[in-house]
Amino acid sequence: MNPPPIVPNWGQMVSVKRCDRWSIHRRLQELNIPCACPADGTLRVEVNHALALLLVCSAVRQFSISRQEGVEWLERCWQTQVTCVANS
């Protein structure tokens, strides 16, 4: 008999739909963000810096909003005018 899988006690638990957690897990792995999907149905993510947090939020958002909300957000981004000034 195999021992029960160990639920990692590291990282933060992210609330996502169970049906989306493997897709989000795969995306986070592509972004080199440590994560796990233990047998208890949770998604655990190790966030060590601000960029990782931003990427986790973005990946979760991608799966949690409707297509229409995504389109509207993208259209707002295209309409936003930001001037970037290089440091001299």
Side-chain angles (χ1 to χ4, degrees), residues 4-51:
I6 298 172
V7 176
N9 57 0
W10 57 268
Q12 298 297 315
M13 187 171 65
V14 180
S15 267
V16 296
K17 293 179 186 173
R18 254 183 116 123
C19 61
D20 291 335
R21 74 184 183 121
W22 283 108
S23 298
I24 296 168
H25 176 267
R26 189 175 317 109
R27 181 64 184 133
L28 294 175
Q29 285 184 321
E30 292 170 354
L31 296 168
N32 293 320
I33 296 174
C35 55
C37 286
D40 66 355
T42 62
L43 173 64
R44 293 212 165 252
V45 180
E46 184 70 30
V47 177
N48 296 318
H49 47 81
L51 180 57

Side-chain angles (χ1 to χ4, degrees), residues 3 23-24 39 52 60 65 83:
S23 298
I24 296 168
V60 170
I65 64 172
T83 304

